[in-house]
């Protein structure tokens, strides 16, 4: 490429990082100019080093800037490429300008494609509220362009909207997707080898243990699956810790009587146990009218040893005037009758986990991610705050999750509910699910009556989750308060209001129909903004980890946590045998196929919460906020390690080492 200026005074140096994405580099001519704090503009400089192929993907290139003396503080740069090879766009991550004379450097995160023939201006840190940004025209045009790329589509009626077509910038890198598909292929081959090496049909529960070999380790649930104490702990710290509630009165349609459960209340009368806050309940009313699934209740008692145990399970429902009421299963029923009832309840628990816990997280975060790109400029501090937590969600949904929920996909093949049943569960759940009541962790715990450790001890999800929630909220608050100095700044932020109003608007009106956002018609205080963005980051990181981290140990042994059971829920309490359990459990090929799937799902993201591949927020205040966030997470990790050393059932789902920044593969 051409020669640069021959002047020998090199007071400044420009460092340019080109993205490592495929096609990010350019052979075009790149130019830069500088603007200082008095409004003075430098001459144009061509960024070029003789005999070097500059601006290749993933490269850091250094360019001396000669004969630029006493220019002062650089507050903006102009950056452009000429029209030569006009189609050869360039994806630049950041530019750093170093002042060798005064020992200063100026960061300009770009994270954008630079098109031929278009001059762009970037402020230091590229992080401003829209009402304060002098480059408002450039900012507006960029958002308009984004809206042509990030378009909404409600692919599944009644569920959150997704992106219509996956933008190229959102796709997984080829090596990332190749690694995932290679692992999936290996797991499938291993399951097929196990099918060949084991008995054609399993005749007893002991036969199941023959399948755990190669990459499939023996899950701990084999030894504890039929324990009432473990069943109670799963309600608190398993895949669905968000469903258990303090029971103040029995739900309508749960036909438990005092004499049924008082043998398990350690001498208390039932009303007395209710008054003493010793009774808890899970009510899966969202399963009503879901084909093939039970629609169960489970009642629990907190014993004097501080352990939670089930004392009643009802698997089906009937109106009060029904001539025949559904049976209520009890711990003193015949051994295998009680085990079978717990298996069918856990089938409902699995179905809820995959639908309203797992899929809801994926889809709701995609709605937020698409809306972020459409309404918050990349120059917006809140876009930069969210970006590392949402950067893979669209790709994960479009390239992985949609295959699982497609026709003849994983849900139809290995889950009793099937795809349509899963979607109906989510629709039913969304009728009462709101951000303010369901997704704000402290509010949700209080609404369920389980916030107080004295009321419900050994609720590790709550105790560890609050540590993470508070650390995230503190981090978010510092960033929000750094840019929104007053509540007036919130009210005047038109990009933020567009973001919020679109999330809450009905789908027919071009929105996402997410109910119960903080604020009434919009954000009017910093506290509302802090709460909303804490929710988003918590769901993407800790919410995902709490439901995903221990999935193999839960799912890998079908009697413990079945995704599929044959036949219908039992309608009587007659004595059952192990053969009845075997008749309900799925056949071997289904079991092995699901084993490969859950092993794939259990693979952890390489990212850790607070550890980002790229820097998104550059200001000193935000950098210190991130460092403090990391210190708070380390402190939380120390606390959790100490807690786990004395817990009967250690809980690792919300240990910071196991929490990713967001959903990925």
């Amino acid at each position: 490429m051409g020669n640069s200026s021959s002047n020998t005074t090199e007071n400044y140096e420009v460092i340019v990082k080109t993205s490592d994405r495929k096609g990010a580099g350019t052979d075009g001519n790149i130019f830069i100019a500088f603007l200082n704090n008095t409004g003075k503009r430098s001459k144009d400089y061509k960024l070029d080093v003789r005999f070097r192929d500059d601006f290749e993907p993933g490269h850091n290139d250094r360019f001396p800037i000669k004969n630029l003396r006493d220019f002062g503080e650089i507050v903006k740069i102009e950056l452009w490429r000429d029209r030569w090879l006009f189609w050869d766009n360039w994806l630049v991550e950041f530019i750093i300008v170093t002042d060798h004379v005064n020992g200063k450097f100026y960061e300009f995160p770009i994270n954008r494609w630079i098109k031929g023939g278009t001059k762009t201006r970037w402020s230091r840190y590229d992080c401003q509220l829209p009402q304060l940004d002098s480059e408002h025209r450039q900012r507006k045009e960029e958002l308009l362009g984004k809206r042509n790329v990030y378009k909404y589509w409600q692919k599944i009626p009644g569920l959150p909207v997704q992106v219509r077509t996956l933008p190229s910038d959102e796709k997984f890198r080829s090596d990332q997707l190749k690694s995932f598909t290679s692992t999936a292929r290996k797991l499938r081959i291993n399951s097929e080898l196990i099918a060949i090496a084991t008995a054609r049909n399993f005749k007893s529960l002991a036969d199941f243990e023959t399948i755990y070999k190669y990459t499939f380790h023996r899950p701990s649930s084999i030894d504890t699956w039929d324990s009432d104490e473990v069943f109670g702990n799963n309600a608190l710290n398993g895949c669905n810790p968000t469903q258990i509630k303090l029971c103040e009165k029995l739900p309508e349609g749960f036909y438990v009587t005092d004499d049924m459960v008082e043998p398990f209340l350690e001498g208390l009368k039932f009303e007395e146990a209710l008054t003493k806050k010793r009774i808890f309940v899970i009510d899966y009313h969202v399963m009503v009218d879901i084909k093939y699934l039970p629609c169960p209740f489970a009642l629990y008692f907190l014993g004097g040893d501080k352990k939670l145990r089930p004392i009643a399970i009802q698997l089906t429902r009937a109106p009060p005037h029904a001539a025949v009421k559904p049976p209520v299963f009890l711990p003193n029923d015949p051994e295998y009758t009680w085990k079978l009832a717990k298996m069918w309840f856990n089938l409902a628990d699995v179905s809820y986990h995959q639908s309203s816990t797992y899929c809801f997280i994926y889809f709701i975060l995609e709605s937020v991610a698409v809306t972020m790109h459409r309404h918050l400029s990349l120059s917006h501090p809140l876009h930069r705050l969210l970006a590392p937590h949402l950067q893979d969600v669209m790709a994960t949904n479009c390239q992985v999750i949609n295959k699982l929920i497609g026709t003849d996909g994983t849900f139809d093949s290995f889950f009793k509910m099937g795809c349509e049943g899963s979607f109906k569960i989510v629709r039913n759940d969304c009728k009462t699910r709101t951000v303010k009541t369901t997704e704000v962790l402290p509010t949700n715990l209080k609404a369920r009556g389980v916030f107080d450790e004295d009321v419900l001890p050994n609720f590790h999800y709550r105790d560890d989750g609050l540590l993470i929630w508070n650390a995230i909220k503190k981090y978010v608050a510092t960033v929000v308060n750094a840019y929104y100095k007053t509540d007036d700044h919130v009210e005047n932020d038109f990009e933020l209001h567009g973001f919020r109003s679109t999330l809450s608007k009905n789908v027919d009106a071009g929105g996402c129909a997410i109910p119960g956002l903080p604020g009434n018609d919009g954000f009017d205080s910093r506290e509302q903004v802090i709460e909303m963005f804490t929710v988003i980051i918590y769901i993407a990181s800790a919410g995902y980890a709490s439901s995903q981290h221990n999935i193999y140990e839960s799912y890998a042994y079908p009697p413990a946590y079945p995704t599929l059971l044959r036949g219908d829920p039992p309608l009587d309490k007659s004595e059952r045998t192990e053969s009845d359990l075997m008749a309900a459990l799925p056949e071997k090929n289904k079991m092995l196929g699901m084993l490969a799937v859950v092993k794939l799902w259990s693979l952890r993201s390489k990212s850790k919460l607070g550890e980002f591949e790229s820097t998104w927020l550059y200001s000193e205040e935000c950098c210190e906020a991130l460092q403090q966030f990391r210190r708070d997470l380390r402190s939380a990790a120390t606390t959790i390690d100490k807690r786990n050393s004395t817990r009967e059932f250690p809980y690792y789902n919300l240990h910071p080492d196991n929490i990713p920044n967001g959903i990925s593969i």
Side-chain angles (χ1 to χ4, degrees):
M1 297 181 74
N3 193 8
S4 57
S5 172
S6 61
N7 284 316
T8 58
T9 306
E10 299 177 0
N11 297 330
Y12 291 83
E13 182 182 47
V14 172
I15 303 171
V16 179
K17 172 64 185 297
T18 299
S19 170
D20 61 0
R21 277 192 171 274
K22 184 178 180 180
T26 183
D27 290 322
N29 297 309
I30 305 298
F31 299 87
I32 194 169
F34 311 98
L35 292 88
N36 68 13
N37 55 349
T38 65
K40 182 180 178 181
R41 184 186 185 279
S42 74
K43 70 175 186 177
D44 298 344
Y45 291 90
K46 183 180 180 181
L47 299 180
D48 181 28
V49 172
R50 181 186 289 184
F51 306 129
R52 189 177 76 190
D53 195 1
D54 301 318
F55 313 118
E56 290 298 293
H59 284 199
N60 282 289
D61 296 314
R62 294 174 177 266
F63 303 92
I65 301 298
K66 300 178 180 180
N67 203 27
L68 180 64
R69 298 180 179 177
D70 303 322
F71 192 69
E73 181 181 354
I74 297 174
V75 296
K76 288 188 179 184
I77 58 172
E78 281 187 8
L79 186 69
W80 69 99
R81 57 167 300 256
D82 61 12
R83 291 184 179 275
W84 187 63
L85 300 176
F86 67 89
W87 65 87
D88 187 28
N89 295 330
W90 173 45
L91 181 56
V92 57
E93 274 192 27
F94 61 76
I95 289 176
I96 297 175
V97 182
T98 303
D99 178 351
H100 289 305
V101 174
N102 297 302
K104 295 182 178 181
F105 60 93
Y106 306 93
E107 304 101 324
F108 298 89
I110 311 297
N111 307 110
R112 291 167 172 89
W113 290 94
I114 303 298
K115 298 180 179 180
T118 302
K119 281 190 175 183
T120 57
R121 276 193 177 188
W122 307 106
S123 299
R124 188 182 182 190
Y125 306 142
D126 185 39
C127 198
Q128 297 184 77
L129 298 180
Q131 66 267 36
L132 304 177
D133 192 346
S134 59
E135 306 302 330
H136 53 84
R137 181 175 179 179
Q138 174 180 299
R139 189 164 175 151
K140 181 178 180 180
E141 289 175 353
E142 181 184 44
L143 278 177
L144 290 174
K146 284 286 193 76
R147 289 171 194 166
N148 289 326
V149 176
Y150 293 82
K151 295 183 178 180
Y152 293 125
W153 183 27
Q154 191 177 40
K155 298 177 184 179
I156 304 166
L159 269 65
V161 299
Q162 297 176 259
V163 70
R164 178 174 290 275
T165 303
L166 184 64
S168 59
D169 284 351
E170 300 295 332
K171 293 180 179 178
F172 286 122
R173 291 176 172 84
S174 58
D175 60 331
Q176 193 176 4
L177 195 58
K178 183 179 179 180
S179 175
F180 180 80
T181 54
S182 174
T183 301
R185 189 181 305 112
K186 179 181 178 181
L187 291 171
R188 187 175 65 251
I189 291 171
N190 284 344
S191 69
E192 291 170 356
L193 290 173
I194 293 170
I196 295 170
T198 53
R200 184 172 182 179
N201 294 305
F202 292 152
K203 297 180 180 179
S204 69
L205 294 174
D207 291 340
F208 287 162
E209 295 205 36
T210 63
I211 69 175
Y212 302 107
K213 57 183 67 178
Y214 307 132
T215 52
F216 305 113
H217 69 267
R218 184 182 187 273
S220 58
S221 53
I222 291 178
D223 301 319
T224 60
W225 73 276
D226 56 352
S227 162
D228 284 357
E229 289 180 13
V230 170
F231 189 89
N233 182 66
N234 286 342
L236 300 176
N237 305 307
C239 292
N240 277 334
T242 61
Q243 295 306 297
I244 193 158
K245 301 177 182 179
L246 178 67
C247 184
E248 297 176 331
K249 65 176 183 178
L250 285 175
E252 184 178 348
F254 194 3
Y255 298 113
V256 169
T257 61
D258 294 3
D259 61 316
M260 287 181 184
V261 295
E262 284 180 355
F264 317 112
L265 303 185
E266 299 178 352
L268 296 175
K269 296 295 184 183
F270 183 61
E271 286 299 324
E272 187 180 3
L274 287 174
T275 302
K276 290 180 176 291
K277 299 184 178 181
R278 304 277 294 275
I279 304 293
F280 299 85
V281 67
I282 293 178
D283 176 359
Y284 275 129
H285 60 276
V286 295
M287 307 289 176
V288 68
D289 296 329
I290 306 294
K291 197 173 183 181
Y292 308 125
L293 287 185
C295 186
F297 301 96
L299 202 66
Y300 301 81
F301 174 69
L302 182 68
D305 58 2
K306 306 299 182 184
K307 293 179 180 179
L308 193 72
R309 296 177 180 86
I311 57 173
I313 294 173
Q314 181 180 306
L315 297 172
T316 56
R317 307 203 175 200
H321 54 76
V324 179
K325 301 293 191 296
V328 176
F329 297 90
L330 305 169
N332 58 4
D333 287 339
E335 177 186 359
Y336 285 98
T337 303
W338 178 235
K339 288 180 180 180
L340 188 63
K342 290 192 291 183
M343 278 172 47
W344 276 95
F345 178 87
N346 279 340
L347 174 68
D349 204 56
V350 166
S351 302
Y352 186 88
H353 175 238
Q354 285 298 318
S355 303
S356 281
T357 302
Y358 216 50
C359 284
F360 181 82
I361 287 175
Y362 280 86
F363 291 151
I364 204 73
L365 288 176
E366 182 170 348
S367 291
V368 173
V370 177
T371 306
M372 177 187 75
H373 283 288
R374 288 174 59 87
H375 290 281
L376 296 179
S377 164
L378 185 51
S379 301
H380 199 295
L382 296 180
H383 185 130
R384 291 190 168 276
L385 177 67
L386 286 186
H389 305 284
L390 300 177
Q391 60 185 9
D392 285 339
V393 66
M394 281 182 261
T396 301
N397 284 355
C398 290
Q399 295 180 258
V400 180
I401 297 301
N402 286 347
K403 294 179 182 178
L404 299 179
I405 64 174
T407 304
D408 297 324
T410 300
F411 277 7
D412 277 342
S413 299
F414 301 118
F415 284 82
K416 182 84 168 178
M417 63 191 172
C419 280
E420 285 306 315
S422 173
F423 300 155
K424 191 167 183 179
I425 291 169
V426 178
R427 292 186 195 106
N428 288 346
D429 199 34
C430 285
K431 292 175 184 177
T432 57
R433 192 167 187 163
T434 73
V435 171
K436 286 187 289 189
T437 60
T438 311
E439 312 306 332
V440 177
L441 180 62
T443 303
N444 174 265
L445 292 169
K446 291 172 184 176
R448 292 192 281 136
V450 294
F451 184 83
D452 190 343
E453 186 176 356
D454 292 333
V455 171
L456 187 56
N458 297 313
F459 193 5
H460 311 322
Y461 163 79
R462 171 200 61 211
D463 301 334
D464 297 355
L466 287 171
L467 288 177
I468 307 303
W469 172 273
N470 291 333
I472 293 172
K473 185 174 183 180
K474 180 179 175 182
Y475 170 56
V476 171
T478 303
V479 174
V480 167
N481 290 327
Y483 289 94
Y484 297 93
K485 301 300 183 183
T486 68
D487 289 344
D488 287 343
H489 284 151
V490 173
E491 294 185 21
N492 293 329
D493 185 345
F494 48 86
E495 286 183 5
L496 179 62
H497 284 287
F499 172 79
R500 187 211 178 277
S501 66
T502 302
L503 287 177
S504 61
K505 279 193 300 190
N506 290 330
V507 174
D508 293 342
C512 303
I514 299 176
L517 301 179
N520 294 321
D521 295 328
F523 296 127
D524 51 31
S525 72
R526 287 175 291 176
E527 188 55 41
Q528 292 169 356
V529 177
I530 291 166
E531 182 174 85
M532 180 66 191
F533 283 79
T534 300
V535 164
I536 296 169
I537 295 174
Y538 185 86
I539 291 174
S541 57
Y544 173 63
S546 68
S547 66
Q548 184 264 356
H549 175 70
N550 205 38
I551 193 169
Y552 180 85
E553 293 297 327
S554 297
Y555 278 65
Y557 186 58
Y561 212 52
T563 65
L564 179 64
L565 291 175
R566 291 180 282 186
D568 297 313
L571 297 177
D572 64 75
K573 296 175 36 142
S574 60
E575 185 170 359
R576 264 70 171 192
T577 66
E578 183 176 333
S579 296
D580 293 304
L581 267 62
M582 294 301 299
L585 289 165
E587 57 268 27
K588 188 177 78 170
N589 68 318
K590 294 282 188 183
M591 196 180 308
L592 289 171
M594 191 60 208
L595 187 65
V597 170
V598 298
K599 185 67 175 181
L600 187 65
W601 286 350
S602 71
L603 300 178
R604 297 187 211 169
S605 169
K606 293 179 181 179
S607 76
K608 288 184 181 179
L609 182 59
E611 304 292 336
F612 307 137
E613 291 182 2
S614 302
T615 302
W616 289 90
L617 291 160
Y618 281 78
S619 73
E620 291 182 13
E621 193 166 2
C622 290
C623 287
E624 173 53 31
L626 179 57
Q627 292 304 317
Q628 183 60 52
F629 182 39
R630 291 168 177 166
R631 289 192 290 269
D632 290 342
L633 291 173
R634 286 297 93 209
S635 176
T638 300
T639 299
I640 293 170
D641 287 338
K642 186 176 180 180
R643 289 171 174 174
N644 279 332
S645 69
T646 60
R647 286 169 170 169
E648 181 178 359
F649 300 108
Y651 185 69
Y652 300 102
N653 295 23
L654 290 177
H655 192 289
D657 288 347
N658 298 325
I659 302 175
N661 285 309
I663 290 170
S664 188
I665 59 173

